[in-house]
Amino acid sequence: MKQRLWNYISGLRNTSPLVHSITNYVVMNNTANALLAAGASPIMAHAHPEMKDMVSIAGALVINIGTLDEYWVESMRLAIRQAETLKKPWILDPVGAGATHYRDTVLKELISIYHPSVIRANASEIMALAQVSTPTKGVDSVNKTEEAPEAARYLNKTTGAVICISGATDSIIHEGKCVSLKNGDPIMARITGMGCTATALTGAFCAANPANLFEATVAAMALMGVAGEKAAALAKGPGSLQMHFLDVLATITEQEFNELLILEEENAGI
Amino acid sequence: MKQRLWNYISGLRNTSPLVHSITNYVVMNNTANALLAAGASPIMAHAHPEMKDMVSIAGALVINIGTLDEYWVESMRLAIRQAETLKKPWILDPVGAGATHYRDTVLKELISIYHPSVIRANASEIMALAQVSTPTKGVDSVNKTEEAPEAARYLNKTTGAVICISGATDSIIHEGKCVSLKNGDPIMARITGMGCTATALTGAFCAANPANLFEATVAAMALMGVAGEKAAALAKGPGSLQMHFLDVLATITEQEFNELLILEEENAGI
Amino acid sequence: MKQRLWNYISGLRNTSPLVHSITNYVVMNNTANALLAAGASPIMAHAHPEMKDMVSIAGALVINIGTLDEYWVESMRLAIRQAETLKKPWILDPVGAGATHYRDTVLKELISIYHPSVIRANASEIMALAQVSTPTKGVDSVNKTEEAPEAARYLNKTTGAVICISGATDSIIHEGKCVSLKNGDPIMARITGMGCTATALTGAFCAANPANLFEATVAAMALMGVAGEKAAALAKGPGSLQMHFLDVLATITEQEFNELLILEEENAGI
């Protein structure tokens, strides 16, 4: 797979797919810029009367619940239904899963009634989300990160979605396959919305490659990690990291990408 | 006209007019920063009970429908009515015109019931907007950009608004006059909200020069293009472009501006 | 006090308190990034059904009315009630106090029915806010800045909140004590949301130091001013200032901080 990933990245630059995001206020600007830098074309809209039309012209839909409220949750439902009707991939970012009862209730609906193509989240959120589906457990704490692959496999099995756990190591899990990526830099956690950007890029790669969402997700996370690592080497702090990150997303070459990429592939079985 | 444009830019820095924007979530931060960098003073508010008061203290109103919904459209109506009552200029940015039926319905209302002072949009949006008023045509595609001046002249005639088509060439059209600007850089399209920033700056120059909205619009677009071109020469990608763009907006000198400016003036007739 | 301030800054980096902000759309990204750069952990949420849960897990609540509307004002009420029930500090940023009747009505409610722990605002807003409580005066104009300490002492007396007036000089006033800080740079006013960032950081320091909100506020403003001053020395305009500011917030050392800090302490009496 390692040899194929650059093709996904150059393919994105050439096809410039349209990605419709219903996302949170905090990161809208960042994630739109990251999509543009990587070669995709962002649209962000949430008005109920235009959800069908917007999803119809987009190649993928990104649903991020970071600053959800009742109106926006209904926007999400309308957009997801249209995406499922038109068989377009939709990506779920369950921001803050486990933080409030309301979030968990909304997430439970989104993953039980609908069928996300990919779920991208950090370990705590993946674990909280798995527990949404297994209500006999309480909300888990942050320190059980090592349990996330198990929760991810459970989520993959119950929802059918490709599951991506992001962190120091990113793991992408689907039907017994697992790819782990070990790029990036701890300073990436000092900018808001890096996770949301990973989800947005996943949406872009899925829009460009609807036939292989597993590899599309790996490609998105590989680009995130490698670009973040290269940007961190240039940065003097989180402010300059953000600037360099966008520059690198737009300008990284095949050689730079392949030299930095650390990818481990396994068929873990379930 | 070329000789007068710097006076508009230095005048803006000296008078610091207040610009009230009802704009989209994605670009609020960028456009507020661009207004501040150019010397204007931004306010952004949308609550129905304060629309009249806000418009009353502002020098111009910017209406950008990028992330519209039912509440915000009503905010726009309330603000526009007050701007028209007080004879203050208001600028329309029809983001995504033609993308959804809802947008087109809202835009049709805004340009038929109300009277925008200036409409600033890219070629596709100008053409879609013209077709909103000529319902016998369908929604046009992106590849007919060369038809935009005709659509712009039609919009100018039917709405009375100064029409600004932005792109590789910016054309400002009003009552048989046409000024074309050939500054800028293709990388500007790799940052979200550059068009929205152009509209916000147009609002600032109109606030400072309500007696000559045509030249005020030309000045805004000239500053955008020249500053973008200078910033692009300093940038290593879209992230650093954004930083340099704000720096240049705040610091560009008369000599730098006049050396870079490429302006063509014609009395095209209708 | 001067010798203790660095302990607050290093303490914040070590404890990473969670700060819940109900703030305006324009600055959400900036203020989240400033919180992360300084070592705190931001959450932003406004849905009514999750306000209680969010406040329960946070160390402090920041209320910023910049882009208020009816739904968000109710979010504020729900969050404030929970903060007061749980005796957690909440910080008020009365953006645009005096600009519209609606803002003044909302602010009057927030400071008369509820009990902010700290109010951080510029001189005009502090004066307008004091007049909200003294309805026999009209709305004051910007040019009476020299009257702000009197208004601040009045607000401190009537609300019990620590009052912070920010500007070229920052003054923090509480029960006869007054600390003045003379750091910063005029260019800081050319980026949107620097005041909102000061309020967000005040929330972070209050979350980490609920037993001494006066000194926590002084520490927040000292870090703002010193980091802004150091960043301004590195910047070529407002765009690069923003980048350097986040870098400096994350990397400033005790020695750099103490060398730049200009603090005057007085027991002013009332």
Side-chain angles (χ1 to χ4, degrees), chain B residues 25 28-29 32-33 36-39 42 44-50 53-54 57 71-72 242-244 246-247 250-251, chain C residues 25-27 30 66-70 72 96 99-103 189-193 235-243:
Chain B
Y25 300 123
M28 285 182 181
N29 190 263
N33 276 330
L36 282 166
M44 297 190 183
H46 64 285
H48 296 173
E50 67 177 355
D53 285 357
M54 277 299 183
I57 60 173
Y71 186 96
W72 286 67
Q242 186 149 272
M243 176 187 77
H244 290 304
L246 289 174
D247 284 357
T251 59
Chain C
Y25 301 122
V26 186
V27 305
N30 301 43
T67 54
L68 83 176
D69 64 28
E70 297 88 342
W72 286 66
T100 70
H101 184 68
Y102 179 57
R103 268 161 214 258
R190 300 293 290 275
I191 311 178
T192 192
K236 292 177 180 167
S240 46
L241 175 65
Q242 188 149 271
M243 176 188 77

Side-chain angles (χ1 to χ4, degrees), chain A residues 4-247:
Chain A
R4 288 195 296 275
L5 291 184
W6 181 258
N7 295 341
Y8 283 88
I9 295 167
S10 63
L12 188 72
R13 291 179 180 176
N14 292 331
T15 56
S16 194
L18 198 59
V19 179
H20 177 203
S21 296
I22 303 180
T23 187
N24 72 73
Y25 301 123
V26 186
V27 306
M28 285 182 180
N29 190 263
N30 301 42
T31 58
N33 277 329
L35 287 168
L36 283 166
S41 185
I43 49 173
M44 297 190 182
H46 64 284
H48 297 172
E50 67 176 355
M51 282 303 90
K52 274 193 168 187
D53 285 357
M54 276 299 182
V55 173
S56 300
I57 60 174
L61 170 67
V62 171
I63 298 290
N64 174 310
I65 67 159
T67 55
L68 84 178
D69 64 27
E70 297 86 343
Y71 186 95
W72 286 66
V73 171
E74 182 61 17
S75 307
M76 293 173 191
R77 287 185 196 106
L78 293 167
I80 290 169
R81 276 179 212 142
Q82 182 72 350
E84 297 196 349
T85 298
L86 300 178
K87 301 195 189 310
K88 296 190 179 189
W90 72 275
I91 325 303
L92 176 64
D93 189 331
V95 180
T100 70
H101 183 70
Y102 179 57
R103 270 163 211 255
D104 288 348
T105 304
V106 168
L107 288 170
K108 186 170 183 172
E109 176 190 341
L110 295 186
I111 67 172
S112 61
I113 297 184
Y114 307 105
H115 304 90
S117 313
V118 184
I119 301 173
R120 202 284 324 153
N122 64 38
S124 299
E125 291 162 344
I126 290 292
M127 292 166 73
L129 198 60
Q131 289 152 3
V132 166
S133 302
T134 54
T136 51
K137 297 185 198 169
V139 174
D140 224 335
S141 64
V142 179
N143 61 338
K144 297 187 185 173
T145 307
E146 71 281 356
E147 290 179 30
E150 194 178 349
R153 277 184 219 108
Y154 172 81
L155 277 177
N156 175 247
K157 201 172 163 184
T158 51
T159 67
V162 174
I163 309 298
C164 171
I165 318 164
S166 64
T169 297
D170 303 318
S171 292
I172 298 93
I173 288 171
H174 187 52
E175 292 177 355
K177 290 172 290 185
C178 178
V179 167
S180 290
L181 300 161
K182 306 205 169 181
N183 291 104
D185 188 287
I187 198 182
M188 292 171 75
R190 300 294 289 276
I191 309 178
T192 192
M194 272 291 182
C196 306
T197 295
T199 307
L201 290 180
T202 301
F205 282 91
C206 288
N209 307 280
N212 195 337
L213 301 181
F214 179 70
E215 289 200 4
T217 304
V218 173
M221 298 308 295
L223 177 59
M224 274 297 297
V226 169
E229 189 170 314
K230 185 162 189 282
L234 299 167
K236 292 179 179 164
S240 46
L241 174 64
Q242 186 149 273
M243 176 188 77
H244 290 304
F245 179 68
L246 290 174
D247 284 356

Side-chain angles (χ1 to χ4, degrees), chain C residues 120-135:
Chain C
R120 202 285 325 155
N122 65 37
S124 299
E125 290 162 344
I126 289 291
M127 293 165 73
L129 198 61
Q131 289 152 4
V132 167
S133 302
T134 55

Side-chain angles (χ1 to χ4, degrees), chain C residues 140 148 150 181 201 218 224:
Chain C
D140 223 337
E150 194 178 348
L181 299 161
L201 290 180
V218 173
M224 275 297 298

